[in-house]
Amino acid sequence: MPLIAVDGPAASGKGTIARALGRHFGVPHLDTGALYRVVALSANRAGVALDDGAAVGRRAAAIDLSLLEDHDLRAAHTGEAASRVSAHPEVRAALMGFQRAFAAQAGGAVLDGRDIGTVIAPDAHAKLYVTAAPEVRARRRFLELTSAGRDVTEAGILADIVARDARDMGRTDAPLRQADDADLLDTSNLDIAAAVRAAIDLVSKRLERVP
Ligand code: C5P
């Protein structure tokens, strides 16, 4: 059964695409960014400094998955904090086992994140690198957050996205990058339906070639 890796920067559409791939190919989906968000929330609430890799790593090792339902999980400040904690090798190491076990399920799986095709599941049968221009991603995130009643500005979101890209691509441990054998999907000029169709086509072609 297929193992599918979906990576890309913030608000590229990779989460929506990965969920749709899960439904289409009948495999469970894991949003790995949510794990880093949980660690960030848990560290913040425990008063742990986000730059203390060892202490945040201990929060990650004892991850409390009930925080996946937390109201603040999707907030912009949680994404920003997640990006900071995810740079610590202790945190990445603590979350690796859970992600690899999810990927190893007999029935297959789809995981989305930043390092799925490069580190977590380098042997995935199909890999997508989903991206879009920063301005397009900022616009999408702005519409998503304001429709959820959040008080945000588009300029603020763009600044956050640019800073997050730089941090995620610039870190030493598992930086965000397109795996050599990943298909590139730029969603800048695609609506959700078209992006999902393109993703299903790319993944289907890869899966046809699996022996
Ligand atoms: O995808 P999402 O915006 O929820 O991810 C939050 C942060 O978690 C990202 O900015 C990134 O720093 C981190 N992350 C990561 N590796 C992953 C998934 C997310 O470092 N596989």
Side-chain angles (χ1 to χ4, degrees), residues 7-8 10-11 14 31-34 36-37 74 78-79 82-84 86-87 92 99 112-116 120 141 164 168 171 174:
D7 290 300
K14 66 182 186 313
D31 164 9
T32 64
Y36 291 91
R37 286 171 180 264
R74 296 280 143 214
T78 307
S83 164
R84 290 176 57 194
S86 71
R92 307 202 70 82
Q99 296 174 82
D112 77 81
R114 301 292 188 291
D115 63 339
I116 308 304
I120 299 297
R141 195 42 68 86
R164 205 122 76 83
D168 290 349
R171 68 184 174 220

Side-chain angles (χ1 to χ4, degrees), residues 73 204-205:
L73 192 77
S204 298
K205 288 204 180 79

Side-chain angles (χ1 to χ4, degrees), residues 17 20-21 185 190-204:
I17 286 172
L21 289 172
L185 176 55
L190 301 178
D191 64 16
I192 291 172
V196 166
R197 273 198 307 277
I200 290 174
D201 280 355
L202 288 169
V203 170
S204 298

